[in-house]
Amino acid sequence: GDICAADYAGKAVVVVNASGELRFKYQGNLNPKPHYKSFQPFQIAKDVNQQILINDFPNNIVHVIDRDGKFLCYIEYPCTGGLSIDPEHNLLAGNHKSGEIRIIRYLQ
């Protein structure tokens, strides 16, 4: 029943409960890799494990966080043109420039 939104200008993913109360804000991994730019979420998706996948547009990667906002991992594959989860629980990552869609099996 939570509502998730990517706030690109605010540089955060905001999650509120069904009553509209703030559950958490995710503003990027607290220990980013040295060459990463400032976190700016562009698109989000939720998977079968209640994990939130976030397209970090400036860094061209996907952050995976748990349902409580804890950083789990990066999926370091270019994702600039869309983000979705298919019925088989694969990540679909689009490339804005080439028009390609990559299917990524990331769940074990």
Side-chain angles (χ1 to χ4, degrees), residues 6-76:
D7 181 359
Y8 185 79
K11 299 183 178 187
V13 170
V14 179
V15 178
V16 298
N17 65 20
S19 301
E21 297 168 337
L22 179 67
R23 283 202 56 236
F24 67 86
K25 277 187 180 182
Y26 175 77
Q27 296 175 301
N29 183 6
L30 296 176
N31 298 306
K33 295 190 177 183
H35 63 280
Y36 282 178
K37 299 172 187 160
S38 179
F39 174 74
Q40 282 190 278
F42 189 61
Q43 298 170 329
I44 58 175
K46 181 186 71 73
D47 70 17
V48 68
N49 294 330
Q50 306 292 324
Q51 298 174 128
I52 302 169
L53 290 87
I54 307 160
N55 172 317
D56 180 0
F57 193 78
N59 294 301
N60 200 15
I61 60 169
V62 175
H63 295 233
V64 181
I65 62 174
D66 71 11
R67 63 179 297 163
D68 295 315
K70 180 183 169 205
F71 174 79
L72 299 174
C73 67
Y74 293 117
I75 298 175
E76 297 192 63

